[in-house]
Amino acid sequence: MEQFDAVIVGGGVAGAAMGVALGRYNLNAVVLERRREVGEINRGDALQIAAVRALDRIGALDAIFEAGGQKTGRMVFSHYRKGLLGHFDISQAFDPPFNYILTLPHEKIEAALIQEAERRGVPTRRGHTVRMIRRVDDLMILSVHGEEGDYDIRARIVIGADGKFSTVRKCFGEEPETYWYEQECVVIEAEEPAGVPTEMRMAYHPDGFLVIGPLSPTVVRVYIMSLRHDAANIFRMSADEIRKLAIGRDPFLEGYQFSKRGAHIFKMGLYHCNAYVADGCALIGDAAHITSPAGGHGMNLAINDAEELADRIGPKLAAGEPVSMGDLKDYEAERRQANEQALRQAHEIFMRLTGPDLGYRIMRPLLFWTWANIPAIPGRMFKQMVNLGISPSRRQAS
Ligand SMILES: Cc1cc2nc3c(=O)[nH]c(=O)nc-3n(C[C@H](O)[C@H](O)[C@H](O)COP(=O)(O)OP(=O)(O)OC[C@H]3O[C@@H](n4cnc5c(N)ncnc54)[C@H](O)[C@@H]3O)c2cc1C
């Protein structure tokens, strides 16, 4: 039976970043990924400043730029009737080099990280699904369904980077309760007219706000926020009907060409596991927590989890020493605190932006107005976000 120092289950952003971070320790590690191809998954494209800093620390930032990552340094706020309200300059508010949001289609982020991990000696096996893990003496045994049939492998440690419906998590009996938001989001692509600067836009409309974020130099992703039944109705519309609805929420979209290619409904939830670790295994990324999309923290938390865990277990694995439950608990304590704070803040902002209750609805236009007209307010929020999700011991004054 094959034996590895570490087996990473799942090759999404969390698992791929874990491969990169562990790759610094010259280990015998592998990523097992159920999907046969990169992509085939609806996820986000925006890496916020804290994620960019974590990518830089694990040495993967250049790989994202080489894959076509674009810097976005400006956030524009608008109103469905009043038009442009104002903007916030991220590039002015922060000192270089970390003064931008980095955008790249999700599949390219994954591919760049997988490639970087491979370059560091951590390969990915695609089309391999982990079905069960169990502990035998001081090793973990994974039962895998692969391209050529079922097989077992051994690992000194298993890292569950297998997302929302984590098998690793189930195997150690952690079943977090998910809070599903009443709000849903229709995500659709649009081609922008020539000459539009690279920026993020947020538009206020009483039926739900709209976010527009760059996907490539000429294509944007439009996020149309709605209540659940409205999202289903919007999703059934043709691309042209959706375009008209989106223009009603942000008239700036007049010249954009909408396409339903890759369109999907984003169902948003929130959970946070009590335990991230058990003897011989640890969870990172969406397997441990999912968050509302406010602030775009999903990838940020996933990459920071990977960095923290790799730094705790990498040196021990490399030295052939056992990874103790104490080492894993230290990882859990550090990351749980950072993640809890990020999840709480993302939830509060998300409810202020989209919450269906009357109080939120009354305050919302005022919120947009203040963001657009008093730069100190988004400035303060962004300044908090720069450290949000970063382990307490790694935070720097920004
Ligand atoms: C529509 C949408 C938009 C988002 N926008 C943003 C954004 O702009 N910015 C941001 O930071 N975050 C965003 N997020 C969140 C972010 O994408 C995720 O939090 C992040 O990618 C988590 O990655 P992960 O690797 O933990 O999980 P996943 O991406 O779910 O990866 C898990 C992987 O494990 C594999 N897997 C599962 N089970 C097994 C198994 N048994 N054996 C082998 N493999 C298995 C899956 O195939 C998958 O590849 C968004 C999410 C969604 C859904």
Side-chain angles (χ1 to χ4, degrees):
M1 199 190 299
E2 278 182 296
Q3 182 171 323
F4 292 91
D5 291 320
V7 172
I8 302 163
V9 184
V13 164
M18 189 73 207
V20 174
L22 272 186
R24 295 174 299 171
Y25 294 98
N26 196 22
L27 301 172
N28 177 20
V30 68
V31 178
L32 300 179
E33 168 54 52
R34 163 171 78 186
R35 285 177 289 145
R36 285 171 203 281
E37 305 285 339
V38 175
E40 302 173 343
I41 191 165
N42 293 320
R43 293 284 188 276
D45 320 295
L47 291 153
Q48 55 120 316
I49 297 178
V52 173
R53 284 168 56 193
L55 284 170
D56 185 56
R57 287 195 302 268
I58 61 171
L61 189 53
D62 288 348
I64 303 292
F65 279 114
E66 277 157 26
Q70 291 186 89
K71 291 181 181 182
T72 305
R74 213 166 107 102
M75 184 107 207
V76 175
F77 302 101
S78 64
H79 185 280
Y80 71 111
R81 271 195 284 108
K82 297 179 185 139
L84 182 69
L85 291 174
H87 69 270
F88 174 68
D89 263 316
I90 305 166
S91 55
Q92 302 279 311
F94 297 100
D95 294 330
F98 303 118
N99 58 349
Y100 55 88
I101 293 172
L102 179 55
T103 55
L104 184 67
H106 193 87
E107 62 273 19
K108 291 195 176 172
I109 299 176
E110 272 187 8
L113 293 175
I114 291 278
Q115 211 178 342
E116 182 61 27
E118 288 194 343
R119 209 178 58 76
R120 296 175 186 206
V122 181
T124 294
R125 289 186 189 168
R126 294 204 157 271
H128 292 247
T129 303
V130 173
R131 294 226 160 124
M132 173 64 112
I133 56 168
R134 63 191 192 281
R135 191 163 177 86
V136 176
D137 301 325
D138 54 355
L139 286 175
M140 304 302 295
I141 311 285
L142 296 96
S143 304
V144 186
H145 176 69
E147 303 244 279
E148 279 149 29
D150 294 349
Y151 63 97
D152 282 359
I153 50 172
R154 278 196 292 241
R156 292 171 62 200
I157 185 151
V158 174
I159 294 137
D162 48 347
K164 208 187 289 182
F165 305 106
S166 170
T167 302
V168 176
R169 190 179 68 213
K170 277 190 204 100
C171 289
F172 73 74
E174 177 73 18
E175 283 300 335
E177 204 174 313
T178 308
Y179 168 78
W180 291 107
Y181 291 98
E182 277 180 68
Q183 307 87 302
E184 287 188 347
C185 182
V186 174
V187 187
I188 185 163
E189 286 179 22
E191 199 160 319
E192 60 187 1
V196 177
T198 304
E199 58 195 17
M200 305 281 288
R201 293 182 64 86
M202 278 183 79
Y204 168 76
H205 187 281
D207 291 344
F209 79 94
L210 206 85
V211 174
I212 301 148
L215 187 59
S216 72
T218 53
V219 178
V220 292
R221 257 219 241 273
V222 181
Y223 295 84
I224 305 169
M225 207 61 66
S226 291
L227 286 178
R228 198 169 293 155
H229 58 281
D230 292 334
N233 289 336
I234 295 170
F235 190 68
R236 275 194 285 272
M237 293 175 178
S238 68
D240 200 45
E241 287 167 328
I242 297 180
R243 176 178 164 272
K244 286 186 187 128
L245 179 135
I247 291 171
R249 295 194 187 186
D250 185 357
F252 184 80
L253 288 170
E254 185 64 55
Y256 285 62
Q257 290 302 319
F258 280 59
S259 144
K260 282 196 89 174
R261 180 169 38 94
H264 58 275
I265 296 186
F266 179 7
K267 295 182 194 307
M268 291 162 288
L270 173 65
Y271 66 67
H272 195 189
C273 287
N274 284 318
Y276 287 18
V277 300
D279 228 2
C281 45
L283 303 176
I284 61 171
D286 279 12
H289 39 71
I290 57 168
T291 172
S292 86
H297 285 297
M299 288 189 276
N300 167 25
L301 304 187
I303 298 163
N304 275 286
D305 286 351
E307 181 197 20
E308 185 70 46
L309 182 61
D311 286 355
R312 301 244 169 213
I313 64 173
K316 290 215 163 170
L317 292 171
E321 293 168 14
V323 172
S324 69
M325 195 59 185
D327 298 323
L328 296 179
K329 281 279 177 198
D330 287 346
Y331 155 74
E332 178 185 274
E334 188 85 357
R335 290 307 306 154
R336 222 184 164 283
Q337 185 186 343
N339 291 336
E340 182 63 32
Q341 199 185 7
L343 300 189
R344 202 175 333 109
Q345 177 156 337
H347 175 73
E348 280 166 17
I349 295 175
F350 189 61
M351 292 310 281
R352 277 188 237 149
L353 285 172
T354 68
D357 295 354
L358 187 64
Y360 290 123
R361 284 194 278 132
I362 290 172
M363 292 306 289
R364 200 162 294 143
L366 184 65
L367 181 74
F368 263 74
W369 187 89
T370 50
W371 281 7
N373 292 289
I374 311 174
I377 293 181
R380 212 183 57 188
M381 207 171 73
F382 264 96
K383 285 213 159 91
Q384 282 175 354
M385 271 171 54
V386 166
N387 276 321
L388 213 57
I390 296 183
S391 299
S393 61
R394 291 172 203 266
R395 286 188 190 163
Q396 311 154 3
S398 305

